[in-house]
Amino acid sequence: MDYVLPKLDYDYADLEPHYDAQTVELHHIKHHAGYVVGLNNAVTKLKEARESGDFSLVKHWEKELAFHGAGHELHSLFWKNLRKGSDENKAEGKVLEAIEKSFGSYDSFVNQFSSATATVEGSGWGVLASDADGNLQVFTVENHQKAFIPGYKILLVCDVWEHAYYLKYQNRRAEWIENFFKIINWEEVEKRL
Ligand code: MN3
């Protein structure tokens, strides 16, 4: 059973002007699609290893599985996390309550998430996640699969690989994050809480 590239719930141009259509399209059909191919390839290679009994490259393929598998999962979440933007976009209801309980206020959360995500070294993600008791934390995930606590449920992710923002925002990652907040689909975040 192959993994497939998910369809988006909106058109590529729907997130303009905060997220440009060209980047969204390339990000989806080139970058995300690449992780799907890599994930399926790793799954196939591990199946072949089980069948042949030759596990000499198992370390390599397990790393590929984690890298591409996490890339696929995070991108699938990322697309679900987005919707048409507005300057007033903000968490509401249950999510807002959980954010205020865990971070003191919505603005404190935005400041921590933005600062942490802006300072991810190299390629990675800003992640909002919840433990089993509903306590929220912000994580900065390196690449797709490093620096995360197992067991936490991911609620919201912001892609800060350069491919996610460079065409429009170039080196201005902080400006991308500022605009990301305007296109967060908070209802989708609440569904995951
Ligand atoms: Mn990406």
Side-chain angles (χ1 to χ4, degrees):
M1 197 182 67
D2 283 349
Y3 291 92
V4 293
L5 183 68
K7 285 195 169 43
L8 305 190
D9 299 329
Y10 37 80
D11 293 329
Y12 292 133
D14 284 353
L15 306 179
E16 294 266 11
H18 309 99
Y19 206 13
D20 61 296
Q22 191 184 13
T23 301
V24 175
E25 181 172 4
L26 288 170
H27 198 175
H28 183 232
I29 62 168
K30 298 293 182 191
H31 294 280
H32 186 171
Y35 298 122
V36 174
V37 170
L39 172 58
N40 285 323
N41 191 38
V43 168
T44 301
K45 294 294 181 185
L46 287 164
K47 181 169 177 274
E48 286 171 11
R50 288 193 299 276
E51 285 164 1
S52 68
D54 178 1
F55 285 103
S56 55
L57 291 177
V58 71
K59 183 175 171 182
H60 170 74
W61 291 116
E62 293 289 0
K63 283 187 177 179
E64 286 285 293
L65 178 71
F67 177 80
H68 291 286
H72 173 49
E73 284 295 319
L74 286 169
H75 281 91
S76 299
L77 257 170
F78 177 69
W79 301 126
K80 282 279 182 193
N81 276 170
L82 305 180
R83 67 178 170 195
K84 187 155 188 58
S86 83
D87 287 343
E88 294 74 40
N89 193 45
K90 192 186 163 181
E92 292 173 351
K94 216 174 96 185
V95 189
L96 183 60
E97 276 172 35
I99 284 174
E100 287 174 343
K101 186 168 152 259
S102 300
F103 299 98
S105 71
Y106 180 73
D107 287 345
S108 296
F109 156 68
V110 172
N111 285 338
Q112 184 179 339
F113 188 94
S114 302
S115 304
T117 306
T119 54
V120 170
E121 280 178 23
S123 300
W125 298 78
V127 171
L128 172 67
S130 166
D131 71 10
D133 298 322
N135 301 306
L136 309 189
Q137 292 289 356
V138 167
F139 293 91
T140 53
V141 173
E142 294 167 15
N143 288 336
H144 297 313
Q145 77 283 36
K146 295 176 187 165
F148 187 65
I149 299 181
Y152 270 73
K153 184 173 186 189
I154 297 178
L155 306 175
L156 171 72
V157 296
C158 178
D159 194 339
V160 288
W161 284 57
E162 284 186 348
H163 69 230
Y165 63 87
Y166 211 85
L167 281 180
K168 183 176 172 73
Y169 295 104
Q170 290 91 47
N171 60 317
R172 304 185 308 279
R173 184 190 277 183
E175 196 179 320
W176 152 234
I177 297 165
E178 199 182 315
N179 278 276
F180 165 79
F181 270 98
K182 297 175 182 170
I183 54 174
I184 293 172
N185 186 344
W186 285 107
E187 281 153 31
E188 187 63 33
V189 174
E190 177 162 346
K191 272 190 220 160
R192 305 185 56 78
L193 186 65

